[in-house]
Amino acid sequence: MKSINLSLPPEPVANKALLAKSNKKEQKIYVGCPEWGKKEWVGKFYPSGTQEKDFLYAYARLFNCIELNTTYYQIPAVAQVQKWRATAGPGFKFCPKFPQFITHVQRLTNCMAETIAFINAISAFEDSLGPLFLMPHPQMGPNALGIIEKFIAKLPADLDLFLELRHPLWFANGLNKQLYDMARHYDVGLIITDAAGRRDCVHMYLTKPEAFIRFVGNELHPTDYARIDEWVNRIKLWLDEGLPSLYFFMHQHNRVDAPVLNKYLVEKLNEVCHLHLPVPQMHDAQGVLF
């Protein structure tokens, strides 16, 4: 860990010009995790005695969004989507991941029927639908840009779409310019993934007036908190320059302690950015909030 530079890269010049054109009147910050169904959270993050059927309700009392990875494995039924929406309540955002059959099995080709079925299902989230994230197969590098662009061009133009790319060649000499231009053309965001083992993915480019950050921590190591401090400062810069909305998803390898770091993130955002975000509450062994 000591040999890895975990600091954020310098701010791209292009971000300021993009944000200058955005509407700063209403700025929204969404903070969440990649799942709600952790039994280990009962009595620590969820009230003691919380039943599994009530995990989403308890989660939505802590956070205002979810990185919905369950859609990666199966397209949900409309009735299930409607139930999730009703359980979470107003103001909560679901951010569904495109199914693996579309992205990894078919690699974005010959899958329009499945894509339509997916979009029809998640449309039932209505105003609770946040950004969708599309992660092409990690083997799809810059030579697959045409395939990715062709797929995106067929999607409804009003989808709030973010793209996550993992092939190293997208970042070999900085962010691929053709990718950046394509994303700007179609109003597609580029997910920023901050992981200790993939510093190239922390590209910091905004291609639309919205940010989608996936932070991978290291079991609450002290560097996790230092990295969050740096992110809070960068988010303050973006907010000051006009960023309307931001989604920040906290990952930990064991997934149990992600809410701890999210609590710290929200507290620092309130302190540094002068926000008034609800701070996630935790419970001690007796169920007392703190």
Side-chain angles (χ1 to χ4, degrees):
M1 186 95 60
K2 293 181 180 179
S3 62
I4 300 174
N5 181 1
L6 295 175
S7 61
L8 295 178
E11 180 69 0
V13 175
N15 285 356
K16 185 171 184 177
L18 182 146
L19 293 177
K21 300 176 182 178
S22 63
N23 181 1
K24 190 182 176 181
K25 290 183 179 179
E26 187 178 12
Q27 294 178 298
K28 295 284 189 179
I29 303 291
Y30 297 93
V31 175
C33 299
E35 60 185 325
W36 64 68
K38 297 298 292 181
K39 294 180 180 179
E40 296 89 341
W41 291 358
V42 176
K44 186 175 182 180
F45 308 115
Y46 298 161
S48 296
T50 301
Q51 299 297 308
E52 191 168 352
K53 65 181 178 61
D54 298 318
F55 281 0
L56 173 56
Y57 179 85
Y59 175 93
R61 265 68 255 164
L62 289 172
F63 305 114
N64 59 358
C65 66
I66 181 80
E67 182 186 292
L68 194 61
N69 286 290
T70 186
T71 55
Y72 176 73
Y73 301 100
Q74 184 176 4
I75 297 174
V78 168
Q80 179 64 72
V81 170
Q82 292 171 334
K83 183 178 180 180
W84 286 336
R85 177 178 179 269
T87 300
F92 189 89
K93 296 291 185 181
F94 293 85
C95 303
K97 189 174 187 176
F98 272 78
Q100 62 180 340
F101 180 82
I102 295 170
T103 58
H104 285 50
V105 177
Q106 295 301 115
R107 301 199 182 192
L108 307 182
T109 60
N110 300 320
C111 56
M112 190 48 58
E114 292 78 12
T115 300
I116 292 172
F118 171 64
I119 293 173
N120 286 343
I122 62 170
S123 294
F125 280 124
E126 300 181 12
D127 58 351
S128 294
L129 181 61
L132 283 64
F133 69 112
L134 174 68
M135 188 189 76
H137 194 289
Q139 292 179 359
M140 295 180 73
N143 61 351
L145 181 60
I147 296 173
I148 296 171
E149 180 174 4
K150 184 178 180 181
F151 179 82
I152 290 173
K154 293 179 180 178
L155 298 176
D158 60 349
L159 282 182
D160 187 2
L161 181 67
F162 274 80
L163 186 62
E164 182 185 14
L165 295 162
R166 296 189 179 181
H167 195 292
L169 288 181
W170 290 113
F171 315 102
N173 297 295
L175 183 68
N176 182 281
K177 186 179 184 305
Q178 287 72 37
L179 169 65
Y180 177 85
D181 291 343
M182 185 276 292
R184 287 295 305 271
H185 177 75
Y186 289 99
D187 195 31
V188 171
L190 298 177
I191 289 175
I192 301 171
T193 300
D194 185 343
R198 285 296 306 271
R199 303 314 294 163
D200 55 338
C201 295
V202 197
H203 57 79
M204 304 308 293
Y205 278 90
L206 303 177
T207 52
K208 61 191 296 182
E210 189 173 28
F212 191 125
I213 300 153
R214 302 178 75 243
F215 182 96
V216 183
N218 293 286
E219 318 305 347
L220 303 183
H221 186 275
T223 56
D224 284 0
Y225 294 91
R227 291 163 63 197
I228 290 296
D229 288 345
E230 195 167 352
W231 265 112
V232 168
N233 290 330
R234 186 62 61 95
I235 291 168
K236 183 180 188 306
L237 172 66
W238 287 347
L239 292 174
D240 288 347
E241 292 185 345
L243 182 71
S245 63
L246 176 140
Y247 290 80
F248 198 110
F249 294 104
M250 195 71 68
H251 294 248
Q252 290 284 347
H253 294 294
N254 67 10
R255 300 185 179 184
V256 174
D257 294 322
V260 175
L261 205 55
N262 262 344
K263 183 175 187 290
Y264 179 79
L265 169 64
V266 171
E267 289 172 339
K268 295 299 290 186
L269 285 170
N270 285 343
E271 174 189 343
V272 174
C273 303
H274 309 294
L275 302 175
H276 303 283
L277 305 174
V279 177
Q281 299 297 307
M282 297 170 60
H283 302 256
D284 63 15
Q286 287 72 44
V288 178
L289 292 172
F290 69 95

